[in-house]
């Protein structure tokens, strides 16, 4: 049964603190967090404020949706004996997707997460983790929301770039964005109308790109103005003049300008403004600059 704050155990209070920590570290509002979990915002507030202990089914849904280690959410630790970890530490993302396991279905509906972990889920977590070669253990079904795909790709990409120097994190994320743009372009050319997975790749790598930009900005490696951080764009001022010259030459070819407009999905006047020699001409944001570079590199563009 649910419990109010007067009867919450110390363990449940700590779990409540970690639920809040997950949301805040992911920079989601309570409304956004609740929407992805398909529950009401008020319920998220009651969990985070330790007014109500979280049930096991909601906790497991949270872990799978945001790739959170069930062990970390329950105990604050990933390995026996280590100090409590902050969320986004490598071990805290080792989700085992216990929500989908048959043993989970046998747990009574109103069981609290803390009790379920002590009796069943803890042993199940250790059993699956011991035999699984990759972390996190990700399962995506056709019934899942697109946000799960984005969250999974974000967590995996963050793990891949975690130990890279800051400047390489920016380059890595940029390269994956370019790959997603090209893949999306190729799929649209053959009539597949893109893919939710391609869009998820772009969203995930943009998140990682923003993190990398913020980490590297104090080294003077990138332009990390507040507008760039908020939009997820990486400014490309040092490279834009050279890229602009190449584009100006490329769009003079028959059919090239209209092909670029279609590729970027922008108004033709926007292309003219970006490529204008006027001193008042505005440079494109980082995402558009990356897309234009990808278009130039496409061997099938008009030449």
């Amino acid at each position: 049964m649910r419990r109010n704050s007067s009867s919450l155990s110390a363990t449940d209070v700590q779990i409540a603190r970690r639920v809040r920590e997950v949301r805040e570290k992911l920079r989601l509002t309570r409304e956004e967090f609740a929407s992805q979990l398909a529950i009401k915002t008020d319920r998220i507030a009651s969990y985070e404020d330790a007014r109500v202990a979280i049930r096991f089914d909601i906790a497991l849904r949270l872990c799978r949706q945001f790739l959170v280690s069930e062990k970390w959410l329950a105990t604050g630790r990933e390995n026996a004996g280590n100090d409590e970890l902050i969320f986004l530490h490598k071990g805290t993302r080792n989700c085992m997707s216990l929500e989908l396991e048959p043993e989970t279905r046998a747990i009574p509906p109103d069981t609290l997460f803390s009790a379920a972990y002590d009796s069943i889920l803890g042993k199940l977590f250790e059993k699956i983790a011991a035999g699984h070669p990759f972390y996190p253990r990700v399962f995506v079904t056709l019934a899942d929301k697109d946000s799960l795909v984005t969250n999974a790709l974000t967590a995996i990409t963050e793990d891949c770039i975690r130990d890279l120097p800051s400047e390489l994190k920016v380059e890595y994320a940029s390269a994956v964005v370019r790959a997603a743009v090209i893949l999306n372009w190729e799929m649209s050319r053959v009539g597949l109308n893109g893919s939710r997975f391609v869009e998820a790749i772009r969203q995930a790598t943009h998140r990682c790109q923003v993190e990398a930009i913020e980490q590297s900005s104090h080294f003077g490696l990138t332009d990390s103005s507040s507008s760039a951080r908020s939009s997820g764009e990486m400014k490309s001022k040092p490279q834009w003049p050279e890229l602009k010259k190449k584009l100006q030459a490329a769009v003079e070819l028959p059919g090239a300008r209209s092909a670029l407009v279609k590729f970027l999905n922008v108004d033709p006047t926007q292309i003219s403004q970006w490529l204008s020699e006027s001193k008042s001409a505005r440079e494109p944001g980082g995402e558009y600059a990356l897309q234009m570079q990808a278009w130039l590199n496409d061997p099938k563009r008009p030449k």
Side-chain angles (χ1 to χ4, degrees):
M1 296 179 64
R2 299 182 187 180
R3 303 178 185 178
N4 58 37
S5 58
S6 63
S7 60
L8 252 61
S9 68
T11 297
D12 287 320
V13 171
Q14 290 302 309
I15 290 173
R17 180 184 63 77
R18 286 188 284 274
V19 169
R20 179 190 291 271
E21 185 179 349
V22 169
R23 180 183 63 78
E24 291 181 345
K25 290 290 185 179
L26 293 176
R27 302 180 183 182
L28 297 173
T29 65
R30 282 180 172 173
E31 290 76 12
E32 293 167 335
F33 200 62
S35 176
Q36 290 200 36
L37 294 174
I39 61 178
K40 294 182 178 180
T41 304
D42 289 347
R43 186 181 295 191
I44 293 296
S46 67
Y47 292 152
E48 291 187 353
D49 297 339
R51 289 184 278 113
V52 174
I54 190 169
R55 293 197 325 250
F56 84 95
D57 55 327
I58 302 298
L60 294 185
R61 189 186 310 168
L62 182 157
C63 288
R64 181 165 172 260
Q65 178 67 27
F66 298 107
L67 281 85
V68 177
S69 163
E70 293 91 346
K71 181 175 183 177
W72 175 80
L73 187 62
T75 69
R77 295 174 172 80
E78 185 55 32
N79 298 307
N82 66 357
D83 295 333
E84 186 163 350
L85 305 174
I86 61 171
F87 185 62
L88 294 186
H89 180 280
K90 188 171 184 177
T92 64
R93 306 308 295 271
N94 290 347
C95 174
M96 290 294 110
S97 296
L98 300 186
E99 181 187 28
L100 304 180
E101 292 302 307
E103 294 91 331
T104 301
R105 303 190 192 111
I107 301 174
D110 286 335
T111 304
L112 299 184
F113 176 56
S114 56
Y117 193 86
D118 287 343
S119 61
I120 296 175
L121 298 177
K123 295 177 183 177
L124 183 59
F125 180 95
E126 299 297 344
K127 175 184 175 182
I128 294 175
H132 199 265
F134 304 111
Y135 302 105
R137 180 176 179 243
V138 181
F139 287 100
V140 179
T141 71
L142 292 176
D144 287 318
K145 294 183 177 181
D146 292 0
S147 57
L148 174 60
V149 181
T150 300
N151 294 343
L153 288 167
T154 301
I156 293 168
T157 304
E158 285 174 345
D159 187 60
C160 290
I161 69 176
R162 186 179 305 278
D163 298 323
L164 292 176
S166 295
E167 64 273 20
L168 292 183
K169 290 181 181 180
V170 175
E171 294 301 321
Y172 179 95
S174 299
V176 180
V177 171
R178 288 197 297 272
V181 168
I182 293 170
L183 179 58
N184 194 53
W185 166 245
E186 291 299 325
M187 294 181 73
S188 64
R189 288 179 67 251
V190 297
L192 295 180
N193 299 320
S195 164
R196 69 171 184 155
F197 295 103
V198 173
E199 180 59 28
I201 290 172
R202 294 179 65 181
Q203 291 181 27
T205 49
H206 279 181
R207 288 188 194 177
C208 295
Q209 193 177 47
V210 172
E211 291 293 333
I213 289 169
E214 291 182 342
Q215 291 177 30
S216 59
S217 62
H218 64 281
F219 295 114
L221 297 170
T222 59
D223 174 2
S224 61
S225 64
S226 58
S227 60
R229 289 196 301 271
S230 63
S231 65
E233 295 179 346
M234 183 174 67
K235 300 298 182 181
S236 54
K237 291 181 180 178
Q239 296 81 22
W240 174 241
E242 181 181 351
L243 178 60
K244 180 178 177 179
K245 289 180 181 179
K246 293 180 180 179
L247 287 165
Q248 287 172 331
V251 298
E252 292 300 318
L253 298 172
R257 184 177 290 267
S258 59
L260 179 58
V261 168
K262 182 178 179 181
F263 183 80
L264 297 177
N265 193 27
V266 297
D267 190 274
T269 58
Q270 184 65 74
I271 300 293
S272 299
Q273 291 173 8
W274 285 333
L275 300 184
S276 170
E277 291 295 345
S278 170
K279 292 183 179 180
S280 61
R282 297 182 60 184
E283 297 181 9
E287 179 184 355
Y288 282 117
L290 290 171
Q291 290 187 53
M292 285 187 274
Q293 182 64 64
W295 180 77
L296 283 174
N297 294 338
D298 183 1
K300 298 177 182 178
R301 69 174 173 83
K303 293 183 179 180

